[in-house]
Amino acid sequence: MYFPYLRGRQFELIAIREMIEKNLINDKVIPIIEPVKASSTFLKTIEVSKEHDKALAIIVNPKVGNFIKEISNLKNEKIKEKYYDLLDFSDRIIHTRIIDMKFQETIEFINANYNSKMAICLNNDDIAIFEKYFKGNDFLYNIIPDKTEFRRRIRENRVMIEDHFIKSERNVDYLDKDDFFSRDHLYYKEDGYLGFSDYSIIGNEYSETGFAPYAVAIHIIYFDEEKSLRVRHFVSDSNDDISDIAGKFKEAMYKLVKWNKTAKLDTYGIRKLEEFYSLES
């Protein structure tokens, strides 16, 4: 089983929704969504998963963004009511809790959000909180790092999570790079896990701010000859200022299209990117 961990920003939510609608997510993939905003896009994503009978893991106590504050605001009463209805009546939604040292500060909110079936425990100091409140709970999945202390103390229904994306400070720093990503999909069962999880090509770091880039970078995950996952980076050339973002995208896409003539990747995402490039050429 694969559990991609995504923050519930607009474009990630639209991507999940579109993949569900086009039947590009099978039952061996369960996206984990940490909502960052109480938006109609977020609710629509849950609705689509329900309509298509696809499982989603929704974090009920997110640690980033403004979701809890917004969902508690009286101005968002309709969104709040609809959100709780969707959680309550869709048996394909896996209520998920992040276990950490601030757990007791959010215990009231969590208890109001039904019986969770997935736990996420990421730091050594948080294991004691897990053991105090949840040891023996009938969780379907316990998301933990692949580290000794976690394996010793959390033994049931484990799913490994790692941040495999090698993040650079600037987009231009990805120029001419091809990085190893993961082999978790090959060995997670041998290592005693029910599944594996990662943060894809976004990484675990979260930022609410955006900026106009000097360079445009496109990151593509692909299988090599040994079935390992690697990330190929395609970076624009005209990177001296922030002008002509569309032109920078076209430069990066030219490199991707040229590379794929040999790599011959044939996925929905690749086809869409190549379609965009052909329209601009």
Side-chain angles (χ1 to χ4, degrees), residues 182-212:
S182 174
R183 291 174 67 86
D184 291 348
H185 57 290
L186 299 176
Y187 297 110
Y188 72 92
K189 288 183 180 179
E190 293 181 27
D191 294 338
Y193 294 95
L194 295 181
F196 62 99
S197 178
D198 58 49
Y199 301 91
S200 188
I201 56 172
I202 300 172
N204 183 31
E205 182 180 330
Y206 174 77
S207 174
E208 294 186 5
T209 60
F211 56 91

Side-chain angles (χ1 to χ4, degrees), residues 92-105:
R92 298 291 276 161
I93 301 301
I94 301 172
H95 308 146
T96 303
R97 305 182 187 190
I98 296 175
I99 311 301
D100 67 6
M101 295 297 287
K102 294 181 179 180
F103 174 79
Q104 295 180 66
E105 297 177 14

Side-chain angles (χ1 to χ4, degrees), residues 38-212:
S39 67
S40 58
T41 305
F42 174 54
L43 297 182
K44 181 62 177 177
T45 302
I46 301 177
E47 286 181 322
V48 168
S49 74
K50 181 180 179 181
E51 291 167 5
H52 291 261
D53 195 32
K54 295 294 184 183
L56 283 181
I58 303 296
I59 294 174
V60 298
N61 62 328
K63 300 302 180 183
V64 297
N66 297 310
F67 177 79
I68 292 180
K69 184 184 294 185
E70 291 179 358
I71 204 72
S72 302
N73 193 318
L74 289 177
K75 294 179 181 179
N76 296 313
E77 196 64 31
K78 289 184 179 179
I79 291 179
K80 179 179 180 179
E81 182 179 342
K82 191 170 185 180
Y83 169 64
Y84 287 141
D85 284 346
L86 286 168
L87 286 187
D88 197 18
F89 294 111
S90 178
D91 59 3
R92 298 291 276 161
I93 301 301
I94 301 172
H95 308 146
T96 303
R97 305 182 187 190
I98 296 175
I99 311 301
D100 67 6
M101 295 297 287
K102 294 181 179 180
F103 174 79
Q104 295 180 66
E105 297 177 14
T106 58
I107 190 81
E108 183 177 346
F109 177 81
I110 292 171
N111 284 342
N113 282 273
Y114 315 105
N115 184 27
S116 296
K117 290 297 182 181
M118 180 187 290
I120 300 174
C121 189
L122 301 177
N123 299 298
N124 281 322
D125 290 339
D126 301 333
I127 300 174
I129 303 295
F130 177 89
E131 291 177 328
K132 179 178 179 179
Y133 288 99
F134 299 111
K135 194 169 186 178
N137 275 37
D138 187 24
F139 284 137
L140 297 175
Y141 308 104
N142 292 311
I143 312 291
I144 62 171
D146 184 31
K147 296 178 181 178
T148 301
E149 190 66 13
F150 289 88
R151 292 194 301 268
R152 285 173 176 166
R153 298 171 66 179
I154 301 177
R155 296 181 175 271
E156 301 297 323
N157 300 336
R158 297 181 302 196
V159 173
M160 65 160 68
I161 186 169
E162 298 293 337
D163 185 0
H164 292 297
F165 187 66
I166 302 172
K167 195 171 185 63
S168 294
E169 187 174 339
R170 306 172 304 166
N171 281 348
V172 72
D173 296 331
Y174 294 111
L175 191 65
D176 298 325
K177 284 189 175 181
D178 187 301
D179 297 321
F180 173 80
F181 187 76
S182 174
R183 291 174 67 86
D184 291 348
H185 57 290
L186 299 176
Y187 297 110
Y188 72 92
K189 288 183 180 179
E190 293 181 27
D191 294 338
Y193 294 95
L194 295 181
F196 62 99
S197 178
D198 58 49
Y199 301 91
S200 188
I201 56 172
I202 300 172
N204 183 31
E205 182 180 330
Y206 174 77
S207 174
E208 294 186 5
T209 60
F211 56 91

Side-chain angles (χ1 to χ4, degrees), residues 1-48:
M1 294 284 291
Y2 176 46
F3 299 82
Y5 190 120
L6 300 167
R7 268 54 187 251
R9 289 172 289 206
Q10 182 174 354
F11 290 112
E12 284 92 338
L13 293 171
I14 292 172
I16 292 172
R17 191 173 74 204
E18 188 170 344
M19 291 180 72
I20 291 174
E21 289 172 336
K22 295 183 180 301
N23 199 30
L24 296 174
I25 298 180
N26 62 34
D27 289 338
K28 294 183 179 180
V29 178
I30 300 178
I32 300 172
I33 300 177
E34 182 175 6
V36 298
K37 188 175 179 61
S39 67
S40 58
T41 305
F42 174 54
L43 297 182
K44 181 62 177 177
T45 302
I46 301 177
E47 286 181 322
V48 168

